[in-house]
Amino acid sequence: MTAPARARGSQELIRAEEPVLAHNYHPLPVVVARAEGAWVEDVEGRRYLDMLAGYSALNFGHRHPALVDAAHRQLDRLTLTSRAFHHDRLAGFAERLAALTGTDMVLPMNTGAEAVESGIKVARKWAYDVKGVPADRATIVVAADNFHGRTTTIVGFSTDETARAGFGPFTPGFRVVPYNDLAALEEAVDETTAAVLMEPIQGEAGVLIPDDGYLAGVRELTRRAGCLFVADEIQSGLGRTGRTLAVEHEPVVPDVVLLGKALGGGIVPVSAVVGSREVLGVLRPGEHGSTFGGNPLAAAVGTAVVELLETGEFQRRAAELGTVLREGLAALVGRGVVGFRARGLWAGVDVDPALGSGREISERLMREGVLVKDTHGSTIRLAPPLTVTGEELRGALGTLEKVLTS
Ligand SMILES: *Cc1c(COP(=O)(O)O)cnc(C)c1O
């Protein structure tokens, strides 16, 4: 028998974390022990519908059979080589990811923040090598209320004081403009601009969807100004909004797209910078790298994720169930919900502050068997796995109604 003599309960495990775990998170008081599909189960055997889905890292649900199978098969054959050698899974992964996203080249990394850092490096290199910006003068324009990750460079151009304060000095070369404001963007772009880096929908900010035409405007403006459009689709991409990429809701093809989260199938961290040959082609051996980027296990899981998305089934589900989500939320406006924004299976819901903070609403939903996460203030985010059924989704909306109206 290898099992511990006495399994520890939720409260005991939460208390045990306190002295040994850095306090950079404030999780809901649920201790998950196993999961399948859209459902997780805690240490005491209580079941919860997962309406957060790992911030979209679990777009295909927990332990999707095709993804787990791909991982198992790869674990039994080859897991790591480093990029010092070729391995037999990388070409297929890169070819299929490029084809899925309609791009030429792929730079595989691990986490989302690394993909963003890599996108920044590539954009700067392109600015010097191709555009001819004088050395060390390149600028990148970003949007207020952005979320692009947690490295020092990235938090340096965040407008969230909690994310920034105490971590300076920061990397220079970034300009912040209001989101969804083309005139402000036009003003900020000049001959030093390497790229405009933006989320097509701002997830952490509360699922903020720009006006129709904004992203097409960004594309047109960057083309005219001779700078790159880098779209951070780490949370919005790979089926979440009802399309493979969120930019596809407008006739927009960015120069560079950043992918992560769902690309790892909820199994391993997998991220990638995908884009045109003109841009990603600027990198030469030794100029950038990652020990784990594009490793065989990551490539096998990533390829299986791309295979799922190639069928279009998940994008279709997200679009169809998105209607259920929107209608359900619309029925709650004035009954605890003051407003919401939704696209596909992704919604930011502003709850009447009189009913409690987003955190308090999240805790009440947890006690009723639904897991969500507040973004800030009284806004909660709903992002179930794309495998959720209509019935499960209606059940979660019913629970939300109960929590808000009782
Ligand atoms: C989560 C996220 C990131 C950072 O990804 P990590 O894997 O947590 O480093 C970057 N950009 C966006 C839009 C994200 O949602």
Side-chain angles (χ1 to χ4, degrees):
M1 289 282 282
T2 53
R6 189 179 60 88
R8 293 197 278 181
S10 291
Q11 289 313 312
E12 203 181 334
L13 285 166
I14 290 168
R15 272 197 306 275
E17 287 183 356
E18 170 76 17
V20 288
L21 202 61
H23 295 172
N24 58 325
Y25 278 94
H26 180 38
L28 289 178
V30 56
V31 181
V32 177
R34 53 185 67 78
E36 184 171 6
W39 293 87
V40 304
E41 194 181 307
D42 74 7
V43 171
E44 282 83 18
R46 286 180 290 259
R47 279 161 54 82
Y48 306 82
L49 185 67
D50 184 355
M51 290 287 289
L52 176 65
Y55 306 91
S56 288
L58 290 156
N59 274 4
F60 310 98
H62 294 266
R63 298 167 49 242
H64 188 288
L67 303 179
V68 168
D69 186 49
H72 276 150
R73 278 185 282 124
Q74 194 59 41
L75 277 172
D76 288 336
R77 205 154 63 74
L78 175 72
T79 55
L80 195 70
T81 55
S82 87
R83 296 288 303 278
F85 315 124
H86 296 273
H87 68 76
D88 66 351
R89 301 308 308 258
L90 198 48
F93 173 51
E95 282 167 352
R96 293 181 78 163
L97 183 60
L100 179 77
T101 53
T103 52
D104 304 330
M105 291 183 105
V106 172
L107 168 62
M109 299 296 288
N110 309 284
T111 65
E114 283 177 302
V116 175
E117 288 277 352
S118 305
I120 291 167
K121 287 176 72 177
V122 164
R124 285 178 167 181
K125 191 108 198 321
W126 172 87
Y128 301 128
D129 291 3
V130 179
K131 180 168 171 169
V133 172
D136 294 338
R137 294 284 307 283
T139 55
I140 291 179
V141 182
V142 300
D145 299 320
N146 67 72
F147 182 84
H148 296 289
R150 299 294 198 166
T151 65
T152 37
T153 289
I154 293 171
V155 299
F157 59 81
S158 166
T159 56
D160 174 358
E161 267 312 299
T162 309
R164 282 169 60 86
F167 300 120
F170 298 120
T171 312
F174 295 92
R175 290 178 187 165
V176 184
V177 297
Y179 191 57
N180 197 25
D181 182 341
L182 282 174
L185 184 61
E186 178 111 52
E187 192 90 342
V189 167
D190 65 19
E191 67 288 347
T192 68
T193 306
V196 172
L197 164 64
M198 253 177 219
E199 301 156 86
I201 292 176
Q202 290 190 319
E204 299 303 304
V207 191
L208 301 187
I209 302 170
D211 294 340
D212 285 345
Y214 176 69
L215 296 173
V218 174
R219 175 66 285 185
E220 175 53 28
L221 197 161
T222 48
R223 202 191 314 276
R224 239 189 307 119
C227 67
L228 306 176
F229 179 14
V230 180
D232 181 346
E233 293 253 16
I234 290 166
Q235 194 165 159
S236 59
L238 305 180
R240 174 56 57 193
T241 67
R243 303 283 172 89
T244 302
L245 300 177
V247 288
E248 291 170 38
H249 290 277
E250 292 187 24
V252 169
V253 180
D255 301 288
V256 173
V257 175
L258 311 177
L259 299 171
K261 293 205 165 95
L263 193 56
I267 299 175
V268 281
V270 185
S271 69
V273 181
V274 302
S276 66
R277 189 172 312 282
E278 179 190 317
V279 181
L280 281 173
V282 299
L283 290 179
R284 291 280 158 267
E287 292 175 348
H288 190 60
S290 162
T291 304
F292 292 97
N295 71 73
L297 182 60
V301 172
T303 303
V305 164
V306 172
E307 275 174 28
L308 292 181
L309 287 166
E310 281 168 353
T311 67
E313 177 198 336
F314 294 91
Q315 296 89 322
R316 213 154 36 237
R317 284 187 70 82
E320 285 167 14
L321 290 171
T323 309
V324 175
L325 181 61
R326 266 198 315 281
E327 286 172 2
L329 290 173
L332 291 177
V333 172
R335 300 172 59 228
V337 169
V338 293
F340 71 92
R341 303 153 296 281
R343 181 154 288 170
L345 270 176
W346 201 19
V349 183
D350 303 328
V351 171
D352 181 351
L355 295 174
S357 64
R359 170 76 187 195
E360 287 161 344
I361 301 296
S362 301
E363 288 185 4
R364 270 179 248 160
L365 283 166
M366 183 200 78
R367 287 195 286 274
E368 299 291 334
V370 174
L371 296 182
V372 304
K373 175 75 172 69
D374 52 303
T375 53
H376 46 73
S378 290
T379 301
I380 57 173
R381 163 188 18 204
L382 304 178
L386 311 183
T387 55
V388 75
T389 66
E391 198 182 335
E392 288 165 339
L393 187 58
R394 283 186 200 93
L397 288 162
T399 306
L400 181 61
E401 176 175 19
K402 178 177 162 194
V403 159
L404 295 179
T405 59
S406 69

